[in-house]
C-alpha cells in the first residue's frame, strides 16, 4: 500500500513536469519580450505587490466559478469598498464578506490596505486564490491532525510572552505574508526582489522579513529547522521554481506541521506582472496537496522599514490585562 508521504511526493513530482507547466501557465503577453539579467535568466527584480480583495477560499456566492464576469467582479468590488469604509463597532468589521472580530476588531480604514480589486489572471477576475481543488476550498484535514496545530490555538494563552502567536511577538508577519506561501494580508503587501546568479532575495515589507532562495542548492539535514523553511530554487525555462522544506513546528501555516512542503513558481508574464503559483503539501495535515495562483503587480518603491518591536506596547497591555482579569477572578 502506498504511504501518504510517497503519494504526496509523487503528486509533487508530477506538478514539476514541463508538460504540466506548459499546460497550466499562461504565455507572456504578445508584443512583450521577457527581460533577462546578465547571467541570462528572466529578470524578476523590482518592487511588487500582491494586494487583492480576492479571498484565499471561495465565498459561497461564487460557488462553482473561478473566473468572474466584469459585472460580477465590479459588484463585489463595490460592496467591499463600501464595507471597508465603515468604522468597526464592538463586534468588528466585515470586509469582502468576511467578518474580522476579536483581535482584529480594532482595524479600520486607516490601517487596511488590501487594494480595491479582485486578482486578475489571464484577463479575468478570480473569485478565490485557490485554484485546486476546483471548488476553491482548502482540502479536508487528515483525521488525526494535532489539535494544537489548529489555527489560532495560541490566541487563548496569556501566561507568557512565549505563548503568544509569533506575529504578535514580531517574529514573522501575520497571515503568512512572508511565506511560503506568500499571501496577501490586510496591509503592507509589498515585496522587493533582488537577483544574483547564486540567489534570489525577497524583502517583505511586513516585519521586514527577508527570504533568501539559493539557486541549485541542496536542503540541509532534517534536524535543521528555519522560520521560513529552507528554499532551493532552479530555473525551468522562464519560470523560477522554488522548493521549500525544513520548516519549524512553530510556523503552522493554516494549521500545518513541520512537514509542510511548498513548491512555488514565479514567472514574469509582462512588464508589470509576475504570476505566482504555489502548491502546498503536508500529508500529516491535509488529505491532498492544494494550489493557489495570483499576480504580483509592479508598484513604486522603495519599501520602508517596518517597525514592530519598537513601541510594541500591545504585548505589555495584553499580558497586563490578563493578569488583571486573573486578579479579579481571585477576588470573587
Amino acid at each position: 500500500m502506498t504511504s501518504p508521504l510517497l503519494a504526496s511526493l509523487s503528486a509533487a513530482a508530477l506538478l514539476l513536469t514541463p508538460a504540466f507547466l506548459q499546460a497550466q501557465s499562461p504565455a507572456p503577453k504578445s508584443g512583450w519580450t521577457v527581460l533577462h539579467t546578465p547571467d541570462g535568466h528572466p529578470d524578476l527584480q523590482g518592487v511588487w505587490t500582491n494586494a487583492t480583495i480576492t479571498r484565499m477560499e471561495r465565498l459561497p456566492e461564487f460557488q462553482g466559478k473561478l473566473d468572474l464576469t466584469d459585472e460580477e467582479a465590479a459588484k463585489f468590488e463595490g460592496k467591499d469598498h463600501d464595507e471597508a469604509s465603515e468604522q468597526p463597532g464592538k463586534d468588528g468589521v466585515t470586509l469582502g464578506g468576511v467578518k474580522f472580530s476579536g483581535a482584529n476588531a480594532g482595524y479600520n480604514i486607516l490601517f487596511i490596505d488590501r487594494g480595491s480589486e479582485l486578482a486578475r489572471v489571464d484577463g479575468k477576475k478570480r473569485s478565490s486564490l485557490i485554484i485546486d481543488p476546483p471548488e476553491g476550498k482548502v482540502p479536508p484535514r487528515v483525521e488525526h491532525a494535532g489539535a494544537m496545530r489548529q489555527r489560532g490555538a495560541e490566541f487563548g494563552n496569556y501566561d507568557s510572552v512565549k505563548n503568544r502567536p509569533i506575529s504578535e511577538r514580531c517574529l514573522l508577519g501575520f497571515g503568512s505574508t512572508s511565506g511560503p506561501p506568500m499571501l496577501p494580508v490586510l496591509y503592507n503587501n509589498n515585496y522587493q526582489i533582488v537577483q544574483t546568479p547564486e540567489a534570489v532575495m525577497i524583502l517583505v515589507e511586513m516585519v521586514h522579513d527577508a527570504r533568501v532562495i539559493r539557486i541549485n542548492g541542496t536542503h540541509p539535514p532534517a534536524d535543521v529547522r528555519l522560520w521560513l523553511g529552507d528554499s532551493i530554487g532552479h530555473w525551468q525555462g522562464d519560470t523560477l521554481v522554488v522548493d521549500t522544506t525544513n520548516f519549524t513546528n512553530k510556523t503552522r501555516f493554516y494549521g500545518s506541521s513541520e512537514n509542510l512542503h511548498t513548491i512555488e513558481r514565479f514567472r514574469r508574464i509582462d512588464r508589470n506582472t509576475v504570476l505566482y503559483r504555489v502548491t502546498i503539501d503536508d500529508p500529516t495535515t491535509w488529505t491532498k496537496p492544494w494550489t493557489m495562483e495570483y499576480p504580483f503587480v509592479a508598484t513604486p518603491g522603495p519599501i520602508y522599514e517596518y517597525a514592530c518591536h519598537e513601541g510594541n506596547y500591545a504585548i505589555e497591555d495584553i499580558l497586563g490585562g490578563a493578569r488583571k482579569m486573573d486578579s479579579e477572578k481571585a477576588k470573587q
Side-chain angles (χ1 to χ4, degrees):
M1 180 176 178
T2 304
S3 71
L5 177 59
L6 288 176
S8 176
L9 291 174
S10 298
L14 174 62
L15 295 177
L16 283 171
T17 61
F20 180 89
L21 291 172
Q22 184 176 6
Q24 298 295 318
S25 299
K29 293 183 178 178
S30 60
W32 183 81
T33 302
V34 177
L35 304 175
H36 291 81
T37 58
D39 61 313
H41 293 300
D43 192 347
L44 304 176
Q45 297 181 107
V47 179
W48 310 88
T49 179
N50 63 0
T52 179
I53 62 174
T54 299
R55 307 303 303 179
M56 185 175 81
E57 293 191 279
R58 192 167 305 150
L59 297 172
E61 62 197 270
F62 298 133
Q63 184 176 359
K65 297 191 69 172
L66 173 63
D67 297 324
L68 303 179
T69 66
D70 290 342
E71 292 76 16
E72 290 171 325
K75 180 179 179 181
F76 181 82
E77 290 165 350
K79 180 179 69 173
D80 184 83
H81 174 77
D82 292 341
E83 292 173 346
S85 299
E86 298 176 2
Q87 296 295 318
K90 64 178 182 179
D91 296 324
V93 62
T94 300
L95 295 169
V98 176
K99 186 173 183 178
F100 293 87
S101 58
N104 294 319
Y107 283 113
N108 56 34
I109 194 64
L110 175 65
F111 289 94
I112 296 168
D113 185 18
R114 299 159 55 245
S116 58
E117 296 186 15
L118 295 165
R120 185 186 293 274
V121 179
D122 279 347
K124 297 180 180 179
K125 296 290 183 72
R126 289 282 175 85
S127 64
S128 63
L129 302 182
I130 296 177
I131 61 172
D132 183 45
E135 59 269 22
K137 298 288 185 181
V138 176
R141 298 175 66 88
V142 298
E143 184 177 355
H144 301 294
M148 285 302 293
R149 290 193 279 110
Q150 297 291 335
R151 284 187 301 144
E154 308 97 324
F155 277 96
N157 190 329
Y158 301 93
D159 293 338
S160 165
V161 170
K162 294 181 179 180
N163 296 131
R164 299 306 298 158
I166 57 178
S167 59
E168 195 173 280
R169 295 157 58 195
C170 301
L171 296 174
L172 285 179
F174 65 84
S176 193
T177 181
S178 306
M182 300 191 301
L183 281 174
V185 291
L186 287 179
Y187 55 92
N188 290 0
N189 292 295
N190 296 327
Y191 303 80
Q192 182 174 6
I193 298 178
V194 178
Q195 287 175 243
T196 72
E198 294 80 23
V200 174
M201 187 279 293
I202 304 177
L203 176 64
V204 186
E205 181 179 32
M206 183 72 79
V207 195
H208 52 266
D209 296 320
R211 291 186 61 191
V212 177
I213 299 165
R214 293 174 290 120
I215 302 299
N216 298 325
T218 56
H219 291 300
D223 60 347
V224 176
R225 299 286 169 171
L226 306 170
W227 285 108
L228 301 178
D230 181 69
S231 294
I232 301 296
H234 71 274
W235 291 97
Q236 222 169 56
D238 287 342
T239 301
L240 175 63
V241 181
V242 181
D243 182 285
T244 304
T245 60
N246 296 68
F247 290 92
T248 74
N249 63 357
K250 299 178 177 64
T251 306
R252 298 177 185 172
F253 164 69
Y254 220 70
S256 65
S257 73
E258 65 272 17
N259 297 317
L260 178 65
H261 175 205
T262 67
I263 299 174
E264 300 166 285
R265 297 176 179 84
F266 299 78
R267 188 180 188 195
R268 193 165 184 175
I269 57 174
D270 61 44
R271 185 176 301 277
N272 296 315
T273 311
V274 170
L275 185 65
Y276 177 75
R277 177 178 295 189
V278 56
T279 296
I280 297 113
D281 187 17
D282 182 351
T284 58
T285 301
W286 296 291
T287 55
K288 61 180 179 180
W290 47 289
T291 299
M292 295 187 286
E293 180 183 67
Y294 40 97
F296 280 58
V297 180
T299 188
I303 291 180
Y304 294 96
E305 181 181 2
Y306 179 87
C308 186
H309 276 295
E310 297 84 349
N312 186 13
Y313 302 114
I315 283 287
E316 182 178 348
D317 293 341
I318 289 169
L319 296 183
R323 300 292 76 76
K324 182 174 177 58
M325 292 176 67
D326 292 341
S327 176
E328 291 176 349
K329 288 181 181 179
K331 294 177 181 178
Q332 294 177 356

